[in-house]
Amino acid sequence: MTSTVPALGTRTAEGSALEAVLLDMDGTLVDTEGFWWDVEAAVFASLGHVLDEAWRHVVVGGPMTRSAGFLIEATGADITLAELTVLLNDGFEARIGDTLPLMPGAARLLAELAAHEIPTALVSASHRRIIDRVLASLGPQYFALTVAGDEVARTKPFPDPYLLAAEGLGAAPARCAVIEDTATGVAAAEAAGCRVVAVPSIAPIAPADRRTVVTSLEEVDLPFLRGLMTEMR
C-alpha cells in the first residue's frame, strides 16, 4: 500500500535516463538513527536490561520486526514483539517532538528535485505513523508517494518497497536512483535493480557495481544523479 501526498510533478526530465529518485528516511534525510537506538536502550532499561553497543550495527536500518525481535532474543526480555513495537514507536514519537534535524544537504536536494519536477518517493522501513510525523519536518510536498514498512508484506532488505515505489511513479527500477544509508536498505534497492547512492550513517558501506558511496548528501545533486544513469549506457 502507498500513501500519496501532494506532488510537484511526475514528468521525467527530458534528455535524461533518470526517471525517478527514491529516498530512505532515517539516517538518510533525517538524523534519527541515533534516536532509535536511544529509545531502544531506554525501553530495555525499563525492562531491566542493558543493550550492548555492538548490537547497534545489527539493528540499524532494519524493519521493526527484525530489530525488535533480535533485541528480545539477545536480552531475554519478558515482552512480546507486538508489545515492544508499540513501546518503541511511542518512544520515538516522544523523542522527535515537533521538529527533526535534517541531514546536511537534504533540504537542498529535495528542493532541487522538486524544482526540476523529478518524480520522488520516500521509502522507509519505519511504520506509517512514524513516516507521517517525520513528513511534517521534511515537507510532504516533496514526495509524489511514500511507502512505509508496515504497508508491504516484505520490507527491507527485500526489494518489495522499492519495486512498489518505482511502479507507483511509473518508472523502470533500473532508471531509478535510490539514496540509502544502511546495508539493509542498499540490499533492498539493489535487489530491486536500482542504481544506488550509499551515504553511510552508522556502519561503513563499500562501493560496488551499480553502487556509489559518498560521505554526505552535500555531494549529491541532480547532475550527479543523472551522471550515474549516463554511466550505465
Side-chain angles (χ1 to χ4, degrees):
M1 178 186 301
T2 60
S3 175
T4 58
V5 293
L8 287 176
T10 56
R11 178 180 60 81
T12 301
E14 296 178 4
S16 171
L18 178 67
E19 295 182 359
V21 177
L22 316 177
L23 302 109
D24 174 55
M25 187 176 75
D26 294 297
T28 298
L29 292 175
V30 289
D31 192 6
T32 51
E33 290 291 12
F35 288 11
W36 280 112
W37 179 252
D38 291 345
V39 170
E40 288 160 349
V43 167
F44 276 90
S46 71
L47 298 172
H49 299 276
V50 177
L51 299 187
D52 189 323
E53 185 71 23
W55 297 342
R56 184 171 184 173
H57 296 285
V58 179
V59 301
V60 66
M64 179 75 72
T65 52
R66 189 193 75 182
S67 57
F70 169 82
L71 292 175
I72 290 174
E73 182 177 355
T75 61
D78 184 19
I79 189 171
T80 68
L81 181 60
E83 291 169 337
L84 181 57
T85 296
V86 171
L87 290 178
L88 292 177
N89 279 327
D90 286 348
F92 185 79
E93 285 197 74
R95 176 71 173 81
I96 64 178
D98 296 325
T99 59
L100 279 171
L102 302 188
M103 298 299 287
R108 185 265 314 150
L109 177 60
L110 290 176
E112 182 180 12
L113 294 174
H116 290 83
E117 299 183 345
I118 303 298
T120 304
L122 184 68
V123 183
S124 176
S126 291
H127 289 187
R128 169 56 53 191
R129 61 180 286 195
I130 300 300
I131 287 181
D132 288 344
R133 283 290 304 275
V134 173
L135 278 172
S137 293
L138 278 176
Q141 71 274 14
Y142 291 122
F143 304 99
L145 63 84
T146 61
V147 178
D150 57 340
E151 295 175 341
V152 290
R154 304 186 307 173
T155 189
K156 304 173 187 178
F158 293 100
D160 305 35
Y162 282 113
L163 291 173
L164 184 62
E167 180 182 9
L169 295 178
R175 294 301 178 185
C176 292
V178 169
I179 304 179
E180 274 280 1
D181 73 304
T182 67
T184 298
V186 166
E190 291 181 342
C194 302
R195 188 68 162 84
V196 179
V197 178
V199 192
S201 61
I202 301 297
I205 299 173
D209 184 41
R210 297 181 60 83
R211 180 195 312 165
T212 301
V213 180
V214 297
T215 59
S216 168
L217 284 181
E218 292 181 324
E219 300 175 43
V220 181
D221 56 16
L222 185 51
F224 175 89
L225 295 173
R226 285 176 170 162
L228 297 179
M229 298 300 163
T230 302
E231 293 172 6
M232 291 169 49
R233 296 176 180 174

